[in-house]
Each structure stands twice: as structure tokens, then as C-alpha cells.
Amino acid sequence: MSQEFFSDHTVYLDQAATSRPKAAGVGEAMRFYIEEVCANVNRSTYTPATDAAIHVLETREKLCALFGFSDPTHVILTPGQTVSLNMVIKGLLRPGDHALVSSVEHNGVMRPLTQLLDHGVSFDRIPMHDDDTLDLDAARKLIRPNTKLMILTHASNVSGTVLPIADAGELCREHGIFLAVDAAQSAGHIPIDLSSMHVDALCVPSHKGLRGPAGIGAMLLSPALAKALDPLITGGTGSDSHTEVQPDYMPDRFESGTPNLPGVYGLHAALCELEREGLAWRQSQEEALLKRFLRGLDTIVGIRIIGTRDLARKIGVVSIDCTTVKDNAEVADRLATEFGILTRCGLHCAPNTHKTYGTFPQGTVRFSFNSSNTEKEIDLALEALKRILH
Ligand SMILES: Cc1ncc(COP(=O)(O)O)c(C=O)c1O
């Protein structure tokens, strides 16, 4: 069964796509569920079922603790980030409604919204200033009487730029607009404290910064949004079984069907590991690598770094446009085949982000790292780039 996909010399710098390696204990926890627990939740009371129920509850509680959120019943476990975003967008917006988004959203946001254009929903994009900050004055002017939702990526998956979600939350509060935050690239990398911000939906995947498995995510909902949102998926919840009407209490309102329990065990283990290491430690490690990488890039001719260089509002995602080569894809390909350095090239499911940064349609080479990467790996990537571009 075992096959060597990665050699000792492989340098994985594609953490924005999915984390590698997963947090310590994730694989073992998933194996434990599949081979030893193997029971459903919310339906039975024998011991393995109770163990599963405890893991589900503790996972909600750990997410609350991580994100400064007070109510575990409003932590909805979902099949992943794209599903969470669809649940918010399609569960809320109705014909005649208007939404605002940043100009640097992932297609996880843009495709559901674009799909709704055919159903009488409209949206506008909030521009970025030249210094790669979100233009909140423009956002204010774009608000209409029918604006119901603002959706912002917390950190761009192309440039790593962090958007000011606390300020956006204030603007939304003033105007009675729901704010949904796509924290795909920030959760597990930088602090997010919902107790100090007005955010109605925080969507987080398990498999990126939290270093859990794919196929599970979470949506932390404010009471107001939970009420306003129609459940996209309805069905059996193990509760209120006497009626064919979906329960309206939380979290059952949004959690129908048997959940991804191996995923819950894996995410639970990943959150335990994050608690052990500490978010502050992970953040400082990642920032040190980012600083080292940016400093190194400055010594190489023929590279344009996309987006801000301000470390206070940038995560470990760095996109470069290689100005002296015909095709950025060739650089990524040579990094992988000649040096074993794995990055991601192209448009990163975010065409308008590249239009915003002037890198459409050629795309960029994206390096993304987290605290499991090392200074040596950063240096190897820099040395390889030097050799390719010399
Ligand atoms: C900013 C952002 N939003 C949404 C997604 C979609 O996440 P997933 O593919 O895990 O559903 C991604 C994935 O890269 C992302 O970077």
C-alpha cells in the first residue's frame, strides 16, 4: 500500500492549498474512529455513540475557545469551506437582495454569488487602494437600501494580504448588514477574536491552517444570522423525529444527515495540537519565515512581489510574478522538477484578485508556508529561484 510520494528532499510550500503534514495525532484519531468507535451521533446512547457525541461537542467548544465565541450551539459543522460559504450565500440572499464583496475573493465566494445573478441577486466589489488596503470609504458609498450581506476574505489566498474585518464589521453594524468572513487562509495562522468584532458568520476549513483533515469545516453564526438564514440542506437530525419539519433550534437547524465523524475526530486532534503549540507561537514562527523569504526575494532580480509587504497585515502566502521569464508556470514547474520545491502556479481560483493585482491572465507563482516549515526550506526555495532566474 505504501508509496513514496514525497522524498526527503521535497520542500512543501503549498500550505495555502492544504496543510502538510497534518497536525500530530490527526491520522491516529481518524483511525481510532473508523476502527474502534464506528458509531453514529445523536441517534443512540451506547458507549461508542457517546464517545462520538463528546468529540462533536468538544470540537465545537474548542472552536469557540479559539475564535472568542461564546455559544457552541451556534458552531455548525459542515462538509468544508466551500459548502459553508454556499450555505451562507444561498441561505440568505433572495431575489432583489444586494451583496458587497472585496475585489480579492476566492471562487468559493464568487461562483455562488455569480450563480445568484440569474436569480435576481446583485453584488458590487469593494476596490482596494493602491497600498493594498480595502477601500472602506468606497464600500460605504456602495451600500444600498437592499444591501443585505458583505462577504470578505480575511486573508487573500493570492497575496496573503489581511483585510480589516473589524472595521468592516463596524460599517456593517451601522447599516444593519450581515458580515460573513471567509477565514480559509487565516484560521489557525493569525488570531481571530469574535468577542471583539461584529462578524455574523465566520467560515473556517479544517484542512488548511488548523491542519486537520479535508471534508469538514465550521461556520460560527451570530444569533441574528442563524435566524435569518434558511438551511440549504434539511433532513434527519436524530431530534424531533415525530415531525417532518426541520427543527429550528441550533445546531440541528443546519446539521442534517450523518456528519463526517472521522473528520470530527481528526479536527478535534488538530485543535488539541494547536492548543498545545499555541497560536501565538505558530504565528511568530510563520512571521519569521515570511520576513526571511521577503528579504531573500529582494536580492533576486526579475521578481515582482504581489500585494503588501507590511508584516502586520500579511500571512505566509507570497505570490510572485517573474518579469524576466515568458511564463510563470515554467518557473513553478522547474522549482518542482529540478529542485523538489512544491508551489502553486496560475490563478488560484481567484481571477478577479489577479485582475486587481495586474497579474491576469498570466497568474503568479505562489509560495505558502506555515510554522511547520523551516528556515532551511525557505533558503532552498530562494536558492532555487536564484538559479532559475539568474
Ligand atoms: C480564500 C479561500 N476561500 C475558500 C476556499 C475554498 O476552500 P475549500 O476548497 O477547502 O472548500 C479557499 C481554498 O483555497 C480559499 O483559499
Side-chain angles (χ1 to χ4, degrees), residues 306-334:
I306 304 308
T308 185
R309 304 193 49 148
D310 180 356
L311 294 182
R313 55 185 184 92
K314 188 175 176 76
I315 55 159
V317 172
V318 180
S319 261
I320 61 167
D321 186 19
C322 303
T323 52
T324 54
V325 298
K326 254 221 226 88
D327 189 353
N328 283 324
E330 187 193 320
V331 176
D333 185 53
R334 287 189 62 191

Side-chain angles (χ1 to χ4, degrees), residues 34 73 110 286 299 319 321 342 361 370:
I34 288 170
T73 68
M110 294 318 302
E286 185 175 318
T299 65
S319 261
D321 186 19
L342 307 185
N370 65 26

Side-chain angles (χ1 to χ4, degrees), residues 63-84:
L63 290 166
C64 281
L66 180 59
F67 298 120
F69 194 65
S70 58
D71 187 354
T73 68
H74 281 59
V75 177
I76 307 304
L77 298 177
T78 72
Q81 186 73 353
T82 298
V83 176
S84 300

Side-chain angles (χ1 to χ4, degrees), residues 175-236:
H175 290 83
I177 298 168
F178 291 115
L179 174 63
V181 173
D182 173 359
Q185 297 296 342
S186 58
H189 293 272
I190 54 176
I192 302 174
D193 180 14
L194 294 176
S195 70
S196 64
M197 290 187 286
H198 173 82
V199 171
D200 292 288
L202 182 78
C203 300
V204 296
S206 148
H207 73 109
K208 295 186 194 266
L210 300 181
R211 300 193 209 165
I216 182 165
M219 198 167 70
L220 286 66
L221 296 180
S222 70
L225 183 56
K227 263 208 192 90
L229 210 56
D230 260 344
L232 209 57
I233 304 293
T234 51

Side-chain angles (χ1 to χ4, degrees), residues 16-18 79-85 104-109 153-158 182-186 205-208 214-216 344 348-349 366:
T18 196
Q81 186 73 353
T82 298
V83 176
S84 300
L85 293 167
V104 293
E105 296 302 315
H106 186 275
N107 272 342
V109 167
T153 190
H154 190 192
S156 160
N157 67 308
V158 173
D182 173 359
Q185 297 296 342
S186 58
S206 148
H207 73 109
K208 295 186 194 266
I216 182 165
R344 180 168 168 201
H348 315 97
C349 297
R366 183 184 72 183

Side-chain angles (χ1 to χ4, degrees), residues 32 53 65 67 89 105 107 114 117 129 145 150 188 221 232 236 257 260 277 292 295 298 327 353-354 357 375:
F32 177 72
F67 298 120
I89 293 166
E105 296 302 315
N107 272 342
T114 301
L117 290 177
H129 286 296
M150 183 185 289
L221 296 180
L232 209 57
N260 172 3
E277 286 191 344
R292 190 178 185 91
R295 218 185 293 130
D298 283 339
D327 189 353
T353 308
H354 283 279
Y357 288 123
E375 289 186 352

